[in-house]
Amino acid sequence: MFDVQHWLESLPPIAVYLLVGGVIGVESMGVPLPGEIVLVSSALLAATGVVEPQWVATAAATGAIVGDSIGYAVGRRGGRPLLARLGRRFPRHLGPAQIARAEQSFAKYGVWAVFFGRFVALLRILAGPLAGALHVPYRRFLVANAAGGLVWAFGTTYLLFTVGRAAEHWLKDISWAGLVLAVLAGLGSTWWLRRRAHRLESAEPTQDPGKPVAAGSEH
């Protein structure tokens, strides 16, 4: 993730926003991409002031809502044969077992699976195409999709932005104090080791080389 963040630092802000929206949008269509990694990296990048958090969140929410809607349309038109083709192409992420678990979530939670699926890696990829293939009413899907996309995008971005800013401020404030404490700790440990060595040295019995060793003293 840190390699992604360093790579994003080399891009202009507008390119970062477009990348966030594009990767999350394509992922939401049903193609396994690291959308969450890109969002997390961009949110942490916003904490350093390189990009603006509101635009990162807006790009992520837009990509999520639009991508899910496109995935819904594709899934509704392609149906289960489309899911089978996706499973053959991406067996690790969209194999029969993964699709079966996603279908169970839809059967159990209904349209709420779309909302909460935004926070789960597997359902985040499958929510749109699977809802379309299962003929979930689009209006209900859109409401859950938009709500989940907004909460996920803005919540994740501002949570990580706040944590990043707090960590940066905290580390900045304690930098000199930490250096002083490290030096004092090093001096203190050196003093203690030297004192310990002197005590051990003074506690060793001295043997007069001219005095014979008493019988029975050797082991």
Side-chain angles (χ1 to χ4, degrees), residues 3-12 15-16 19-20 37-38 41-42 45 50-51:
D3 292 338
V4 175
Q5 187 173 350
H6 290 156
W7 177 65
L8 290 174
E9 287 179 357
S10 65
L11 301 177
V16 175
L19 184 66
V20 170
I37 293 178
V38 172
S41 300
S42 300
L45 194 63
V50 177
V51 293

Side-chain angles (χ1 to χ4, degrees), residues 70-93:
I70 296 175
Y72 174 93
V74 173
R76 190 174 182 88
R77 183 170 183 177
R80 290 185 176 275
L82 172 66
L83 298 178
R85 288 197 299 272
L86 289 174
R88 288 193 296 270
R89 186 166 186 178
F90 306 106
R92 182 179 176 183
H93 299 88

Side-chain angles (χ1 to χ4, degrees), residues 125-197:
I125 300 172
L126 280 175
L130 191 57
L134 297 177
H135 294 279
V136 174
Y138 180 70
R139 288 185 180 180
R140 295 176 58 195
F141 168 81
L142 181 60
V143 171
N145 172 36
L150 288 169
V151 172
W152 173 74
F154 278 86
T156 301
T157 299
Y158 276 95
L159 175 63
L160 292 172
F161 172 76
T162 303
V163 171
R165 290 294 294 270
E168 184 181 8
H169 180 71
W170 183 71
L171 291 173
K172 182 179 180 181
D173 286 344
I174 70 165
S175 58
W176 286 107
L179 179 60
V180 171
L181 288 175
V183 172
L184 291 177
L187 292 175
S189 61
T190 302
W191 173 82
W192 183 84
L193 289 172
R194 286 182 178 178
R195 186 178 180 184
R196 182 70 175 174

